[in-house]
């Protein structure tokens, strides 16, 4: 299965940003973990991070006909972006929303998610493990394979 893992703004700062919330492991550690899980499970994975909303929209559009599943942590764009929701709806690729922290236990605005309306599951507060759990969910979900 071909899975696209998308990460939004400031996730490249993992290990540096608010370690009490996001932990001390780096973005490179996260990528390594995702790639190791893909190898173990036989999935093909591409990981992409951007601080720009439009880049993430374009990446979702380009996933059409290429990827069979999307793991998305839109980071701050979770709480603001109708454009990401519309892009996911446009390509109609099964997607799982991931948050490292438990957004439901933080500031009120973090409980709002636009992409949640499209994603078939949300994993929040499981740390980096949320990404591999999301990959497993996609691999076990019914859906067309390219
Ligand atoms: C986050 C939670 C968001 O509220 C925040 O803006 C992020 C990261 C998480 O993974 O916990 O940047 O998506």
């Amino acid at each position: 299965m071909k899975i696209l893992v998308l990460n939004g703004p400031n996730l490249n700062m993992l290990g540096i940003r608010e370690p009490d919330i996001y932990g001390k492991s780096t973005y490179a550690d996260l990528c390594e973990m995702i790639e190791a899980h893909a190898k173990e499970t036989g999935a093909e994975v591409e990981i992409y991070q951007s601080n720009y909303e439009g880049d993430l929209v374009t990446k979702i559009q380009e996933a059409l006909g290429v990827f069979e599943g999307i793991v998305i942590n839109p980071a701050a764009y979770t709480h603001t972006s109708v454009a990401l929701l519309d892009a996911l709806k446009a390509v109609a690729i099964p997607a799982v929303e991931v948050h490292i922290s438990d957004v439901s236990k933080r500031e009120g605005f973090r409980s709002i998610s636009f992409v949640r309306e499209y994603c078939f599951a949300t994993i929040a507060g499981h740390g980096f493990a949320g990404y591999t759990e999301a990959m497993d969910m996609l691999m076990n979900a019914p859906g067309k394979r390219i």
Side-chain angles (χ1 to χ4, degrees):
M1 184 180 198
K2 288 177 155 187
I3 298 174
L4 176 64
V5 179
L6 286 177
N7 283 302
N10 300 306
L11 289 169
N12 56 315
M13 296 292 282
L14 287 171
I16 298 163
R17 74 181 288 210
E18 303 178 89
D20 45 318
I21 296 174
Y22 300 109
K24 284 185 184 147
S25 300
T26 64
Y27 185 67
D29 295 333
L30 174 64
C31 294
E32 215 174 275
M33 199 192 85
I34 291 167
E35 268 152 16
H37 192 68
K39 213 171 174 188
E40 247 172 61
T41 55
E44 254 182 72
V45 77
E46 182 181 331
I47 308 167
Y48 181 79
Q49 188 276 331
S50 179
N51 295 324
Y52 299 93
E53 186 178 13
D55 283 353
L56 295 164
V57 169
T58 299
K59 201 69 190 173
I60 293 169
Q61 290 179 2
E62 289 172 354
L64 187 61
V66 180
F67 291 96
E68 298 145 317
I70 297 176
V71 174
I72 184 164
N73 182 349
Y77 292 138
T78 307
H79 320 300
T80 62
S81 181
V82 177
L84 287 176
L85 170 63
D86 285 350
L88 289 169
K89 283 182 170 175
V91 297
I93 298 168
V96 177
E97 174 188 13
V98 171
H99 300 285
I100 296 165
S101 66
D102 186 351
V103 280
S104 70
K105 301 222 163 74
R106 298 179 63 192
E107 302 96 318
F109 64 83
R110 292 188 204 273
S111 292
I112 298 160
S113 167
F114 286 94
V115 299
R116 194 159 304 163
E117 191 173 312
Y118 174 78
C119 293
F120 75 82
T122 296
I123 301 168
H126 296 192
F128 286 9
Y131 287 83
T132 53
E133 288 167 23
M135 289 167 74
D136 291 342
M137 276 184 177
L138 286 168
M139 286 187 269
N140 294 323
K144 80 177 163 77
R145 298 285 181 266
I146 295 162

